[in-house]
DNA sequence: ATGAAAGCGCTAACAG
DNA sequence: CTGTTAGCGCTTTCAT
């Protein structure tokens, strides 16, 4: 069913039907009503495809995420999808994994779909291949990157201050009298590298960095267990992500260590995991949800050709619970 | 940039360019190479929009989810998105919430986008409004519903046997000598209603059902705490979803009850929450990931006009950990 | 206030 | 092996 079918039954032209559908002015009220009636009668649904072709706007955006199963990405995707939809934009969501060439190919896909703009969630997208793919395929499109720096002209960057987050966490533990404070990291994303920097800044010579833990509960468990048995004096650990810390909590408990008396633990992101943890996990709130909200805001404004700030940084918050 | 621009530079017609792009046979090798060269030179990306218009296929599918932040939905979305993409289909993901009228309006959106098919994840979609919206707007489209019954002609239903899952869990606790076994439910989805049925089937007269807990960690905590203080003899609890059970674990611990000696707890879905829990949670594995995989499989087959089974049921597995 | 006609970027049928 | 033509479903001038 097309607008021509509607037009025919209404005894008007397709142009008129189009005007009614789009609420354009300059239509006799009686015609408008007549057409609306027939539209309703057939539950007519316009082809966004055809419309997009002539309007040069698909009213779709792309959301690229390394892995939506990751709780804090799914929250971001949720917030952005809802906000965009309420302004009429559908979201194409793609999981790219952490492989830059996969990311690049997703970017090409988005280009073929003729999205009106897109959002990259996570610092993992801040790499050369992605940059190249964007300038090749999505050159002029507005986009925003959440918590990553790409330094491209058409884009906005909404950032968490990860360095400060780690610095604050470490400083807090030092203040509380902890002497040997370690940092357990998983993947080497730009975001995690900043956390390490902040941690080092606070610890200086006394920094103890465990790198390359698998990015999971088990990864945190193993890394913590190993660290704790190799170095009996560790009395504080900061983790690059909450889920690692949950594994760490269990490892410490299995080793019979008192939390937080003997050992303090701090996670990162203040995700729902942190209060699901038992004992509840203290965590650095990177305010990712607010970042996501802001991402959608900013993209929407860019889509309307409004001027936007190209860089917004959200300061972190240290949330204390039962592991410190 | 369009195929006409490419055609002009290559000194051929648009039809030829189209043939090269789509790897159609019957093109002189030298022409093919020449055209490919120019395509590459400009990083040409075809308009899926225009192509879709003529092919009557957008190569997009819709995925409707009540809330992707829910871990087991995000896993489903992940699996489906990846699988569909590897067959060339992009996924439009929409969070509908639990309001049927929201679901209906999302269905209309999908129709305007001219998706080639769609997947409904969750039994919450098994309601009259959704059914009506589908037959209005997406009448002939192939679709599959994960863990819900809609009973519509064009669809396939991939189901978990929730009744049996709850029955097995309850039976297990009875076998282990538990005397007062409660069931804590959150939302009244069809899926949860089946769980209650299975539970009742095992418990008979002795059924103790707590309904209407909020669907969250806190909800599980509150409901459990109240139940346990009102009825001191409870020695087993089954929860409609894992996250509730995590709250329950903490409530029991706060009350000083020994798990599993004094009180056994069993969750539902065997989600990642279950092994993040401390103590680790025993849970009924509804095999949702396998369901999701199957959903994508089946939809893909429907899209190819192949015959498919209209109903597939996955039997549940009881996974024992530290709370039983 | 309304219609005719052109065109968005692509594919397919038909010629040659 | 390749080009011409028509048309997918819509919007938008430009007339009237």
């Amino acid at each position: 069913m097309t607008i021509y079918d509607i037009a025919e039954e209404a005894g008007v032209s397709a142009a008129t039907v189009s005007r009614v559908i789009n609420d354009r002015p300059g239509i006799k009220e009686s015609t408008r009503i007549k057409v609306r009636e027939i539209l309703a009668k057939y539950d007519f649904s316009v082809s966004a495809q055809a419309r997009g072709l002539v309007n040069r706007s698909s009213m779709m955006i792309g959301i690229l995420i390394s892995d939506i199963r990751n709780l804090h990405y799914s929250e971001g995707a949720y917030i952005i999808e809802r906000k965009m939809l309420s302004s009429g934009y559908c979201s194409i969501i793609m999981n790219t994994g952490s492989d830059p060439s996969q990311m690049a190919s997703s970017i090409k896909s988005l280009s073929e779909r003729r999205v009106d703009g897109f959002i990259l969630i996570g610092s993992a997208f801040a790499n050369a291949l992605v940059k190249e793919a964007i300038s090749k395929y999505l050159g002029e499109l507005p986009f925003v990157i959440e918590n990553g720096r790409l330094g491209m002209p058409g884009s906005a960057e909404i950032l968490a201050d990860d360095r400060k987050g780690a610095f604050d966490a470490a400083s807090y533990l030092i203040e509380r009298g902890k002497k040997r404070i370690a940092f357990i990291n998983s993947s080497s994303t730009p975001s995690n590298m900043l956390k390490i920097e902040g941690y080092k800044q606070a610890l200086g010579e006394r920094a103890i960095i465990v790198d390359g833990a698998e990015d999971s509960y088990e990864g945190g468990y193993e890394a913590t267990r190993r660290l704790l048995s190799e170095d009996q004096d560790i009395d504080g650990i900061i983790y690059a992500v909450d889920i690692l810390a949950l594994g760490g909590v269990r490892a410490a408990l299995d080793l019979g260590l008192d939390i937080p008396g003997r050992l303090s633990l701090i996670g990162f992101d203040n995700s729902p995991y942190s209060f699901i943890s038992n004992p509840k996990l203290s965590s650095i709130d990177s305010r990712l949800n607010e970042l996501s909200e802001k991402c959608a805001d900013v993209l929407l404004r860019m889509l309307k050709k409004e001027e936007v700030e190209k860089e917004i940084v959200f300061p972190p918050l240290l949330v204390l619970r039962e592991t410190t």
Side-chain angles (χ1 to χ4, degrees), chain A:
Chain A
M1 166 134 319
T2 75
I3 56 171
Y4 283 91
D5 303 313
I6 302 292
E8 187 170 356
E9 180 149 347
V12 298
S13 75
T16 299
V17 175
S18 170
R19 288 181 185 114
V20 171
I21 290 175
N22 295 292
D23 280 321
R24 296 267 182 281
I27 293 267
K28 210 201 308 167
E29 201 47 28
S30 63
T31 326
R32 196 183 290 276
I33 290 171
K34 173 83 181 157
V35 171
R36 283 228 179 95
E37 229 161 52
I38 304 186
L39 251 12
K41 171 175 169 195
Y42 292 106
D43 298 313
F44 183 77
S45 110
V46 261
S47 164
Q49 220 162 39
R51 178 185 271 176
L53 195 57
V54 12
N55 287 346
R56 316 176 117 2
S57 156
S58 61
M59 292 303 280
M60 295 196 302
I61 61 139
I63 301 180
L64 258 36
I65 305 185
S66 56
D67 189 334
I68 202 170
R69 292 173 300 181
N70 187 139
L71 201 42
H72 81 245
Y73 293 140
S74 67
E75 298 206 318
Y78 176 85
I79 291 170
I80 294 169
E81 189 275 324
R82 303 247 53 181
K83 188 144 207 160
M84 296 307 298
L85 189 61
S86 76
S87 293
Y89 290 90
C90 279
S91 297
I92 294 179
I93 296 181
M94 288 171 136
N95 296 282
T96 62
S98 51
D99 174 19
S101 71
Q102 224 334 267
M103 298 174 182
S105 97
S106 294
I107 286 167
K108 172 153 199 195
S109 282
L110 290 185
S111 139
E112 298 184 342
R113 300 293 164 178
R114 298 295 189 261
V115 294
D116 290 343
F118 61 104
I119 294 179
L120 270 21
I121 307 186
S123 70
F125 290 97
N127 64 260
L129 244 74
V130 165
K131 207 163 164 173
E132 185 193 330
I134 292 177
S135 51
K136 258 190 187 169
Y137 296 114
L138 296 172
E140 308 296 276
L141 277 197
F143 76 97
V144 0
I145 174 165
E146 177 168 345
N147 206 20
R149 292 182 183 276
L150 221 33
M152 294 185 69
S155 77
E157 305 178 338
I158 314 295
L159 303 152
D161 193 341
D162 289 317
R163 184 191 282 108
K164 181 162 190 310
F167 178 82
D168 290 354
S171 305
Y172 177 80
L173 292 180
I174 292 170
E175 250 168 54
R176 304 276 301 182
K178 298 296 177 181
K179 299 300 180 202
R180 281 187 75 73
I181 304 166
F183 185 96
I184 296 187
N185 187 41
S186 50
S187 44
S188 305
T189 58
S191 159
N192 286 350
M193 291 297 107
L194 287 173
K195 294 171 189 170
I196 290 183
E197 270 184 32
Y199 162 79
K200 274 186 185 162
Q201 199 176 322
L203 269 293
E205 290 302 301
R206 296 174 302 157
I208 302 167
I209 296 169
V210 177
D211 218 328
E214 194 202 297
D215 207 352
S216 66
Y217 178 88
E218 289 82 5
Y221 184 89
E222 291 307 332
T224 305
R225 183 135 196 163
R226 194 167 329 115
L227 174 67
L228 255 18
S229 49
E230 281 169 5
D231 185 340
Q232 317 278 95
D233 297 331
I234 298 285
D235 54 6
I237 308 181
I238 299 169
Y239 294 84
V241 281
D242 279 343
I243 186 74
L244 283 176
L246 291 220
V249 167
R250 180 64 188 249
L253 257 22
D254 282 358
L255 256 21
L257 299 179
D258 175 53
I259 297 177
R262 167 65 184 77
L263 176 68
S264 286
L265 304 175
I266 300 184
F268 224 107
D269 283 346
N270 194 33
S271 67
Y273 287 130
S274 57
F275 56 82
I276 276 165
S277 167
N278 184 22
K280 295 185 199 295
L281 183 70
S282 296
S283 184
I284 297 137
D285 187 351
S286 334
R287 303 167 69 194
L288 260 7
N289 287 355
E290 291 172 72
L291 292 211
S292 299
E293 196 103 36
K294 188 55 108 179
C295 283
D297 261 4
V298 167
L299 184 60
L300 243 13
R301 300 239 308 284
M302 289 172 118
L303 255 11
K304 287 187 225 150
K305 309 279 178 222
E306 295 175 14
E307 271 312 306
V308 299
E309 303 148 273
K310 292 300 188 186
E311 181 183 317
I312 302 176
V313 181
F314 283 72
L317 262 25
L318 181 54
V319 180
L320 272 11
R321 294 200 181 83
E322 302 169 348
T323 58
T324 50

